[in-house]
PDB file of all heavy atoms in Angstrom:
ATOM      1  N   ASP A  79      63.403 375.229  83.076  1.00  0.00           N
ATOM      2  CA  ASP A  79      62.524 374.560  84.041  1.00  0.00           C
ATOM      3  C   ASP A  79      63.170 374.629  85.421  1.00  0.00           C
ATOM      4  O   ASP A  79      64.385 374.657  85.549  1.00  0.00           O
ATOM      5  CB  ASP A  79      62.300 373.098  83.653  1.00  0.00           C
ATOM      6  CG  ASP A  79      61.771 372.954  82.234  1.00  0.00           C
ATOM      7  OD1 ASP A  79      60.940 373.794  81.836  1.00  0.00           O
ATOM      8  OD2 ASP A  79      62.208 372.021  81.538  1.00  0.00           O
ATOM      9  N   SER A  80      62.345 374.644  86.446  1.00  0.00           N
ATOM     10  CA  SER A  80      62.874 374.654  87.805  1.00  0.00           C
ATOM     11  C   SER A  80      63.388 373.266  88.174  1.00  0.00           C
ATOM     12  O   SER A  80      62.822 372.247  87.761  1.00  0.00           O
ATOM     13  CB  SER A  80      61.797 375.098  88.799  1.00  0.00           C
ATOM     14  OG  SER A  80      60.677 374.227  88.725  1.00  0.00           O
ATOM     15  N   ILE A  81      64.493 373.247  88.914  1.00  0.00           N
ATOM     16  CA  ILE A  81      65.062 371.976  89.356  1.00  0.00           C
ATOM     17  C   ILE A  81      64.084 371.308  90.324  1.00  0.00           C
ATOM     18  O   ILE A  81      63.591 371.950  91.253  1.00  0.00           O
ATOM     19  CB  ILE A  81      66.419 372.210  90.028  1.00  0.00           C
ATOM     20  CG1 ILE A  81      67.402 372.778  88.988  1.00  0.00           C
ATOM     21  CG2 ILE A  81      66.964 370.932  90.635  1.00  0.00           C
ATOM     22  CD1 ILE A  81      68.710 373.221  89.575  1.00  0.00           C
ATOM     23  N   PRO A  82      63.798 370.026  90.132  1.00  0.00           N
ATOM     24  CA  PRO A  82      62.809 369.347  91.000  1.00  0.00           C
ATOM     25  C   PRO A  82      63.201 369.394  92.474  1.00  0.00           C
ATOM     26  O   PRO A  82      64.385 369.384  92.820  1.00  0.00           O
ATOM     27  CB  PRO A  82      62.816 367.911  90.482  1.00  0.00           C
ATOM     28  CG  PRO A  82      63.353 367.998  89.093  1.00  0.00           C
ATOM     29  CD  PRO A  82      64.324 369.137  89.089  1.00  0.00           C
ATOM     30  N   VAL A  83      62.186 369.427  93.309  1.00  0.00           N
ATOM     31  CA  VAL A  83      62.369 369.410  94.766  1.00  0.00           C
ATOM     32  C   VAL A  83      61.608 368.219  95.332  1.00  0.00           C
ATOM     33  O   VAL A  83      60.413 368.044  95.042  1.00  0.00           O
ATOM     34  CB  VAL A  83      61.861 370.714  95.410  1.00  0.00           C
ATOM     35  CG1 VAL A  83      61.997 370.637  96.933  1.00  0.00           C
ATOM     36  CG2 VAL A  83      62.628 371.919  94.867  1.00  0.00           C
ATOM     37  N   ILE A  84      62.289 367.422  96.100  1.00  0.00           N
ATOM     38  CA  ILE A  84      61.679 366.247  96.736  1.00  0.00           C
ATOM     39  C   ILE A  84      61.614 366.481  98.239  1.00  0.00           C
ATOM     40  O   ILE A  84      62.646 366.730  98.880  1.00  0.00           O
ATOM     41  CB  ILE A  84      62.488 364.961  96.444  1.00  0.00           C
ATOM     42  CG1 ILE A  84      62.594 364.712  94.935  1.00  0.00           C
ATOM     43  CG2 ILE A  84      61.870 363.758  97.160  1.00  0.00           C
ATOM     44  CD1 ILE A  84      61.277 364.499  94.236  1.00  0.00           C
ATOM     45  N   ASP A  85      60.409 366.400  98.783  1.00  0.00           N
ATOM     46  CA  ASP A  85      60.218 366.522 100.225  1.00  0.00           C
ATOM     47  C   ASP A  85      60.375 365.131 100.842  1.00  0.00           C
ATOM     48  O   ASP A  85      59.467 364.303 100.773  1.00  0.00           O
ATOM     49  CB  ASP A  85      58.827 367.093 100.524  1.00  0.00           C
ATOM     50  CG  ASP A  85      58.631 367.428 101.995  1.00  0.00           C
ATOM     51  OD1 ASP A  85      59.335 366.823 102.841  1.00  0.00           O
ATOM     52  OD2 ASP A  85      57.774 368.265 102.316  1.00  0.00           O
ATOM     53  N   PHE A  86      61.539 364.891 101.423  1.00  0.00           N
ATOM     54  CA  PHE A  86      61.868 363.560 101.945  1.00  0.00           C
ATOM     55  C   PHE A  86      60.893 363.109 103.028  1.00  0.00           C
ATOM     56  O   PHE A  86      60.570 361.920 103.125  1.00  0.00           O
ATOM     57  CB  PHE A  86      63.295 363.574 102.498  1.00  0.00           C
ATOM     58  CG  PHE A  86      63.773 362.246 102.990  1.00  0.00           C
ATOM     59  CD1 PHE A  86      64.232 361.290 102.114  1.00  0.00           C
ATOM     60  CD2 PHE A  86      63.781 361.949 104.356  1.00  0.00           C
ATOM     61  CE1 PHE A  86      64.688 360.053 102.557  1.00  0.00           C
ATOM     62  CE2 PHE A  86      64.227 360.725 104.821  1.00  0.00           C
ATOM     63  CZ  PHE A  86      64.684 359.768 103.921  1.00  0.00           C
ATOM     64  N   SER A  87      60.397 364.042 103.824  1.00  0.00           N
ATOM     65  CA  SER A  87      59.524 363.678 104.944  1.00  0.00           C
ATOM     66  C   SER A  87      58.234 363.017 104.466  1.00  0.00           C
ATOM     67  O   SER A  87      57.623 362.235 105.210  1.00  0.00           O
ATOM     68  CB  SER A  87      59.196 364.907 105.791  1.00  0.00           C
ATOM     69  OG  SER A  87      58.412 365.842 105.054  1.00  0.00           O
ATOM     70  N   LEU A  88      57.824 363.295 103.229  1.00  0.00           N
ATOM     71  CA  LEU A  88      56.566 362.734 102.722  1.00  0.00           C
ATOM     72  C   LEU A  88      56.682 361.250 102.388  1.00  0.00           C
ATOM     73  O   LEU A  88      55.664 360.564 102.260  1.00  0.00           O
ATOM     74  CB  LEU A  88      56.100 363.508 101.490  1.00  0.00           C
ATOM     75  CG  LEU A  88      55.797 364.999 101.692  1.00  0.00           C
ATOM     76  CD1 LEU A  88      55.262 365.608 100.417  1.00  0.00           C
ATOM     77  CD2 LEU A  88      54.804 365.184 102.845  1.00  0.00           C
ATOM     78  N   LEU A  89      57.909 360.753 102.253  1.00  0.00           N
ATOM     79  CA  LEU A  89      58.084 359.327 101.958  1.00  0.00           C
ATOM     80  C   LEU A  89      57.619 358.449 103.106  1.00  0.00           C
ATOM     81  O   LEU A  89      57.307 357.262 102.911  1.00  0.00           O
ATOM     82  CB  LEU A  89      59.560 359.033 101.645  1.00  0.00           C
ATOM     83  CG  LEU A  89      60.059 359.521 100.280  1.00  0.00           C
ATOM     84  CD1 LEU A  89      61.578 359.405 100.197  1.00  0.00           C
ATOM     85  CD2 LEU A  89      59.415 358.718  99.157  1.00  0.00           C
ATOM     86  N   THR A  90      57.561 358.997 104.304  1.00  0.00           N
ATOM     87  CA  THR A  90      57.090 358.235 105.477  1.00  0.00           C
ATOM     88  C   THR A  90      55.813 358.845 106.054  1.00  0.00           C
ATOM     89  O   THR A  90      55.476 358.601 107.213  1.00  0.00           O
ATOM     90  CB  THR A  90      58.189 358.188 106.550  1.00  0.00           C
ATOM     91  OG1 THR A  90      58.595 359.531 106.874  1.00  0.00           O
ATOM     92  CG2 THR A  90      59.394 357.386 106.068  1.00  0.00           C
ATOM     93  N   SER A  91      55.140 359.639 105.242  1.00  0.00           N
ATOM     94  CA  SER A  91      53.899 360.264 105.713  1.00  0.00           C
ATOM     95  C   SER A  91      52.811 359.216 105.945  1.00  0.00           C
ATOM     96  O   SER A  91      52.700 358.253 105.184  1.00  0.00           O
ATOM     97  CB  SER A  91      53.410 361.287 104.674  1.00  0.00           C
ATOM     98  OG  SER A  91      52.113 361.750 104.995  1.00  0.00           O
ATOM     99  N   PRO A  92      51.997 359.392 107.012  1.00  0.00           N
ATOM    100  CA  PRO A  92      50.873 358.464 107.233  1.00  0.00           C
ATOM    101  C   PRO A  92      49.764 358.648 106.189  1.00  0.00           C
ATOM    102  O   PRO A  92      48.878 357.789 106.079  1.00  0.00           O
ATOM    103  CB  PRO A  92      50.378 358.846 108.637  1.00  0.00           C
ATOM    104  CG  PRO A  92      50.828 360.260 108.832  1.00  0.00           C
ATOM    105  CD  PRO A  92      52.103 360.390 108.082  1.00  0.00           C
ATOM    106  N   ASP A  93      49.819 359.727 105.433  1.00  0.00           N
ATOM    107  CA  ASP A  93      48.809 359.994 104.411  1.00  0.00           C
ATOM    108  C   ASP A  93      49.224 359.313 103.108  1.00  0.00           C
ATOM    109  O   ASP A  93      50.201 359.716 102.470  1.00  0.00           O
ATOM    110  CB  ASP A  93      48.688 361.506 104.201  1.00  0.00           C
ATOM    111  CG  ASP A  93      47.547 361.876 103.265  1.00  0.00           C
ATOM    112  OD1 ASP A  93      47.176 361.040 102.419  1.00  0.00           O
ATOM    113  OD2 ASP A  93      47.049 363.011 103.364  1.00  0.00           O
ATOM    114  N   PRO A  94      48.493 358.294 102.652  1.00  0.00           N
ATOM    115  CA  PRO A  94      48.888 357.578 101.433  1.00  0.00           C
ATOM    116  C   PRO A  94      48.871 358.463 100.185  1.00  0.00           C
ATOM    117  O   PRO A  94      49.643 358.224  99.249  1.00  0.00           O
ATOM    118  CB  PRO A  94      47.852 356.453 101.329  1.00  0.00           C
ATOM    119  CG  PRO A  94      46.700 356.897 102.166  1.00  0.00           C
ATOM    120  CD  PRO A  94      47.284 357.741 103.255  1.00  0.00           C
ATOM    121  N   THR A  95      48.012 359.481 100.187  1.00  0.00           N
ATOM    122  CA  THR A  95      47.962 360.386  99.037  1.00  0.00           C
ATOM    123  C   THR A  95      49.263 361.170  98.912  1.00  0.00           C
ATOM    124  O   THR A  95      49.804 361.339  97.807  1.00  0.00           O
ATOM    125  CB  THR A  95      46.778 361.361  99.164  1.00  0.00           C
ATOM    126  OG1 THR A  95      45.564 360.620  99.286  1.00  0.00           O
ATOM    127  CG2 THR A  95      46.693 362.275  97.955  1.00  0.00           C
ATOM    128  N   LEU A  96      49.786 361.634 100.052  1.00  0.00           N
ATOM    129  CA  LEU A  96      51.047 362.370 100.036  1.00  0.00           C
ATOM    130  C   LEU A  96      52.217 361.464  99.660  1.00  0.00           C
ATOM    131  O   LEU A  96      53.118 361.870  98.915  1.00  0.00           O
ATOM    132  CB  LEU A  96      51.303 363.016 101.402  1.00  0.00           C
ATOM    133  CG  LEU A  96      50.336 364.139 101.811  1.00  0.00           C
ATOM    134  CD1 LEU A  96      50.654 364.631 103.221  1.00  0.00           C
ATOM    135  CD2 LEU A  96      50.418 365.292 100.810  1.00  0.00           C
ATOM    136  N   ARG A  97      52.196 360.221 100.150  1.00  0.00           N
ATOM    137  CA  ARG A  97      53.255 359.272  99.791  1.00  0.00           C
ATOM    138  C   ARG A  97      53.225 358.976  98.291  1.00  0.00           C
ATOM    139  O   ARG A  97      54.263 358.937  97.638  1.00  0.00           O
ATOM    140  CB  ARG A  97      53.109 357.970 100.579  1.00  0.00           C
ATOM    141  CG  ARG A  97      53.438 358.070 102.056  1.00  0.00           C
ATOM    142  CD  ARG A  97      53.801 356.706 102.644  1.00  0.00           C
ATOM    143  NE  ARG A  97      52.812 355.682 102.326  1.00  0.00           N
ATOM    144  CZ  ARG A  97      51.702 355.447 103.037  1.00  0.00           C
ATOM    145  NH1 ARG A  97      51.464 356.192 104.125  1.00  0.00           N
ATOM    146  NH2 ARG A  97      50.862 354.503 102.705  1.00  0.00           N
ATOM    147  N   CYS A  98      52.044 358.798  97.773  1.00  0.00           N
ATOM    148  CA  CYS A  98      51.895 358.518  96.336  1.00  0.00           C
ATOM    149  C   CYS A  98      52.408 359.697  95.512  1.00  0.00           C
ATOM    150  O   CYS A  98      53.084 359.504  94.487  1.00  0.00           O
ATOM    151  CB  CYS A  98      50.429 358.230  96.022  1.00  0.00           C
ATOM    152  SG  CYS A  98      50.124 357.809  94.289  1.00  0.00           S
ATOM    153  N   GLN A  99      52.128 360.912  95.966  1.00  0.00           N
ATOM    154  CA  GLN A  99      52.541 362.094  95.228  1.00  0.00           C
ATOM    155  C   GLN A  99      54.055 362.238  95.190  1.00  0.00           C
ATOM    156  O   GLN A  99      54.638 362.537  94.142  1.00  0.00           O
ATOM    157  CB  GLN A  99      51.914 363.344  95.855  1.00  0.00           C
ATOM    158  CG  GLN A  99      52.258 364.647  95.130  1.00  0.00           C
ATOM    159  CD  GLN A  99      51.820 364.635  93.686  1.00  0.00           C
ATOM    160  OE1 GLN A  99      50.634 364.418  93.397  1.00  0.00           O
ATOM    161  NE2 GLN A  99      52.755 364.857  92.758  1.00  0.00           N
ATOM    162  N   VAL A 100      54.712 361.994  96.326  1.00  0.00           N
ATOM    163  CA  VAL A 100      56.169 362.148  96.345  1.00  0.00           C
ATOM    164  C   VAL A 100      56.841 361.037  95.536  1.00  0.00           C
ATOM    165  O   VAL A 100      57.900 361.259  94.932  1.00  0.00           O
ATOM    166  CB  VAL A 100      56.704 362.195  97.795  1.00  0.00           C
ATOM    167  CG1 VAL A 100      56.689 360.830  98.462  1.00  0.00           C
ATOM    168  CG2 VAL A 100      58.123 362.781  97.816  1.00  0.00           C
ATOM    169  N   ILE A 101      56.226 359.851  95.463  1.00  0.00           N
ATOM    170  CA  ILE A 101      56.753 358.781  94.613  1.00  0.00           C
ATOM    171  C   ILE A 101      56.680 359.209  93.149  1.00  0.00           C
ATOM    172  O   ILE A 101      57.624 359.014  92.367  1.00  0.00           O
ATOM    173  CB  ILE A 101      55.974 357.471  94.820  1.00  0.00           C
ATOM    174  CG1 ILE A 101      56.184 356.925  96.242  1.00  0.00           C
ATOM    175  CG2 ILE A 101      56.407 356.419  93.789  1.00  0.00           C
ATOM    176  CD1 ILE A 101      57.600 356.552  96.572  1.00  0.00           C
ATOM    177  N   GLN A 102      55.586 359.824  92.774  1.00  0.00           N
ATOM    178  CA  GLN A 102      55.452 360.335  91.407  1.00  0.00           C
ATOM    179  C   GLN A 102      56.464 361.444  91.135  1.00  0.00           C
ATOM    180  O   GLN A 102      57.022 361.526  90.032  1.00  0.00           O
ATOM    181  CB  GLN A 102      54.015 360.849  91.187  1.00  0.00           C
ATOM    182  CG  GLN A 102      52.961 359.769  91.185  1.00  0.00           C
ATOM    183  CD  GLN A 102      51.553 360.344  91.039  1.00  0.00           C
ATOM    184  OE1 GLN A 102      51.367 361.502  90.681  1.00  0.00           O
ATOM    185  NE2 GLN A 102      50.549 359.515  91.337  1.00  0.00           N
ATOM    186  N   ASP A 103      56.691 362.291  92.133  1.00  0.00           N
ATOM    187  CA  ASP A 103      57.686 363.356  91.988  1.00  0.00           C
ATOM    188  C   ASP A 103      59.083 362.774  91.777  1.00  0.00           C
ATOM    189  O   ASP A 103      59.873 363.282  90.962  1.00  0.00           O
ATOM    190  CB  ASP A 103      57.684 364.263  93.221  1.00  0.00           C
ATOM    191  CG  ASP A 103      56.398 365.075  93.356  1.00  0.00           C
ATOM    192  OD1 ASP A 103      55.658 365.200  92.357  1.00  0.00           O
ATOM    193  OD2 ASP A 103      56.139 365.569  94.476  1.00  0.00           O
ATOM    194  N   LEU A 104      59.392 361.713  92.534  1.00  0.00           N
ATOM    195  CA  LEU A 104      60.682 361.049  92.383  1.00  0.00           C
ATOM    196  C   LEU A 104      60.832 360.465  90.979  1.00  0.00           C
ATOM    197  O   LEU A 104      61.882 360.613  90.337  1.00  0.00           O
ATOM    198  CB  LEU A 104      60.824 359.927  93.415  1.00  0.00           C
ATOM    199  CG  LEU A 104      61.601 360.203  94.693  1.00  0.00           C
ATOM    200  CD1 LEU A 104      61.567 358.986  95.598  1.00  0.00           C
ATOM    201  CD2 LEU A 104      63.043 360.598  94.403  1.00  0.00           C
ATOM    202  N   ASP A 105      59.800 359.796  90.510  1.00  0.00           N
ATOM    203  CA  ASP A 105      59.841 359.195  89.181  1.00  0.00           C
ATOM    204  C   ASP A 105      60.077 360.262  88.109  1.00  0.00           C
ATOM    205  O   ASP A 105      60.903 360.087  87.207  1.00  0.00           O
ATOM    206  CB  ASP A 105      58.530 358.451  88.906  1.00  0.00           C
ATOM    207  CG  ASP A 105      58.510 357.817  87.528  1.00  0.00           C
ATOM    208  OD1 ASP A 105      59.346 356.935  87.268  1.00  0.00           O
ATOM    209  OD2 ASP A 105      57.659 358.220  86.693  1.00  0.00           O
ATOM    210  N   LYS A 106      59.365 361.363  88.224  1.00  0.00           N
ATOM    211  CA  LYS A 106      59.504 362.445  87.250  1.00  0.00           C
ATOM    212  C   LYS A 106      60.903 363.064  87.302  1.00  0.00           C
ATOM    213  O   LYS A 106      61.522 363.335  86.266  1.00  0.00           O
ATOM    214  CB  LYS A 106      58.447 363.521  87.505  1.00  0.00           C
ATOM    215  CG  LYS A 106      58.436 364.623  86.461  1.00  0.00           C
ATOM    216  CD  LYS A 106      57.307 365.605  86.718  1.00  0.00           C
ATOM    217  CE  LYS A 106      57.299 366.706  85.652  1.00  0.00           C
ATOM    218  NZ  LYS A 106      56.210 367.686  85.891  1.00  0.00           N
ATOM    219  N   ALA A 107      61.417 363.268  88.520  1.00  0.00           N
ATOM    220  CA  ALA A 107      62.752 363.852  88.671  1.00  0.00           C
ATOM    221  C   ALA A 107      63.829 362.938  88.089  1.00  0.00           C
ATOM    222  O   ALA A 107      64.748 363.394  87.404  1.00  0.00           O
ATOM    223  CB  ALA A 107      63.037 364.128  90.143  1.00  0.00           C
ATOM    224  N   CYS A 108      63.720 361.636  88.342  1.00  0.00           N
ATOM    225  CA  CYS A 108      64.713 360.683  87.830  1.00  0.00           C
ATOM    226  C   CYS A 108      64.595 360.524  86.316  1.00  0.00           C
ATOM    227  O   CYS A 108      65.608 360.333  85.635  1.00  0.00           O
ATOM    228  CB  CYS A 108      64.533 359.325  88.509  1.00  0.00           C
ATOM    229  SG  CYS A 108      64.959 359.300  90.265  1.00  0.00           S
ATOM    230  N   THR A 109      63.393 360.600  85.801  1.00  0.00           N
ATOM    231  CA  THR A 109      63.172 360.420  84.366  1.00  0.00           C
ATOM    232  C   THR A 109      63.568 361.655  83.565  1.00  0.00           C
ATOM    233  O   THR A 109      64.248 361.556  82.538  1.00  0.00           O
ATOM    234  CB  THR A 109      61.693 360.084  84.084  1.00  0.00           C
ATOM    235  OG1 THR A 109      61.318 358.917  84.817  1.00  0.00           O
ATOM    236  CG2 THR A 109      61.468 359.836  82.597  1.00  0.00           C
ATOM    237  N   GLU A 110      63.160 362.839  84.019  1.00  0.00           N
ATOM    238  CA  GLU A 110      63.327 364.054  83.228  1.00  0.00           C
ATOM    239  C   GLU A 110      64.632 364.792  83.515  1.00  0.00           C
ATOM    240  O   GLU A 110      65.161 365.469  82.633  1.00  0.00           O
ATOM    241  CB  GLU A 110      62.140 364.989  83.471  1.00  0.00           C
ATOM    242  CG  GLU A 110      60.802 364.398  83.015  1.00  0.00           C
ATOM    243  CD  GLU A 110      59.645 365.357  83.222  1.00  0.00           C
ATOM    244  OE1 GLU A 110      59.880 366.479  83.736  1.00  0.00           O
ATOM    245  OE2 GLU A 110      58.511 364.986  82.891  1.00  0.00           O
ATOM    246  N   TRP A 111      65.127 364.695  84.740  1.00  0.00           N
ATOM    247  CA  TRP A 111      66.321 365.447  85.130  1.00  0.00           C
ATOM    248  C   TRP A 111      67.506 364.559  85.510  1.00  0.00           C
ATOM    249  O   TRP A 111      68.632 364.847  85.164  1.00  0.00           O
ATOM    250  CB  TRP A 111      66.004 366.373  86.310  1.00  0.00           C
ATOM    251  CG  TRP A 111      65.441 367.695  85.939  1.00  0.00           C
ATOM    252  CD1 TRP A 111      64.131 367.996  85.691  1.00  0.00           C
ATOM    253  CD2 TRP A 111      66.164 368.924  85.769  1.00  0.00           C
ATOM    254  NE1 TRP A 111      63.989 369.324  85.388  1.00  0.00           N
ATOM    255  CE2 TRP A 111      65.229 369.924  85.432  1.00  0.00           C
ATOM    256  CE3 TRP A 111      67.503 369.277  85.877  1.00  0.00           C
ATOM    257  CZ2 TRP A 111      65.587 371.250  85.192  1.00  0.00           C
ATOM    258  CZ3 TRP A 111      67.866 370.602  85.650  1.00  0.00           C
ATOM    259  CH2 TRP A 111      66.918 371.566  85.306  1.00  0.00           C
ATOM    260  N   GLY A 112      67.245 363.527  86.299  1.00  0.00           N
ATOM    261  CA  GLY A 112      68.351 362.782  86.900  1.00  0.00           C
ATOM    262  C   GLY A 112      69.054 363.603  87.956  1.00  0.00           C
ATOM    263  O   GLY A 112      70.200 363.333  88.322  1.00  0.00           O
ATOM    264  N   PHE A 113      68.346 364.614  88.439  1.00  0.00           N
ATOM    265  CA  PHE A 113      68.955 365.569  89.363  1.00  0.00           C
ATOM    266  C   PHE A 113      67.841 366.283  90.114  1.00  0.00           C
ATOM    267  O   PHE A 113      66.844 366.691  89.506  1.00  0.00           O
ATOM    268  CB  PHE A 113      69.776 366.579  88.559  1.00  0.00           C
ATOM    269  CG  PHE A 113      70.509 367.580  89.396  1.00  0.00           C
ATOM    270  CD1 PHE A 113      71.736 367.281  89.937  1.00  0.00           C
ATOM    271  CD2 PHE A 113      69.968 368.823  89.627  1.00  0.00           C
ATOM    272  CE1 PHE A 113      72.414 368.202  90.709  1.00  0.00           C
ATOM    273  CE2 PHE A 113      70.634 369.753  90.401  1.00  0.00           C
ATOM    274  CZ  PHE A 113      71.865 369.438  90.942  1.00  0.00           C
ATOM    275  N   PHE A 114      67.975 366.415  91.443  1.00  0.00           N
ATOM    276  CA  PHE A 114      66.911 367.060  92.218  1.00  0.00           C
ATOM    277  C   PHE A 114      67.451 367.521  93.562  1.00  0.00           C
ATOM    278  O   PHE A 114      68.537 367.116  94.000  1.00  0.00           O
ATOM    279  CB  PHE A 114      65.723 366.114  92.410  1.00  0.00           C
ATOM    280  CG  PHE A 114      66.075 364.728  92.890  1.00  0.00           C
ATOM    281  CD1 PHE A 114      66.126 364.420  94.244  1.00  0.00           C
ATOM    282  CD2 PHE A 114      66.347 363.712  91.972  1.00  0.00           C
ATOM    283  CE1 PHE A 114      66.447 363.147  94.683  1.00  0.00           C
ATOM    284  CE2 PHE A 114      66.668 362.422  92.400  1.00  0.00           C
ATOM    285  CZ  PHE A 114      66.716 362.143  93.743  1.00  0.00           C
TER     286      PHE A 114
END
Side-chain angles (χ1 to χ4, degrees):
D79 305 321
S80 59
I81 296 172
V83 177
I84 302 298
D85 188 336
F86 183 80
S87 66
L88 299 184
L89 286 169
T90 55
S91 171
D93 186 334
T95 303
L96 293 177
R97 289 202 309 274
C98 182
Q99 181 59 56
V100 74
I101 294 297
Q102 292 177 14
D103 292 342
L104 262 177
D105 179 63
K106 185 176 180 181
C108 291
T109 303
E110 297 182 359
W111 274 85
F113 183 84
F114 49 91

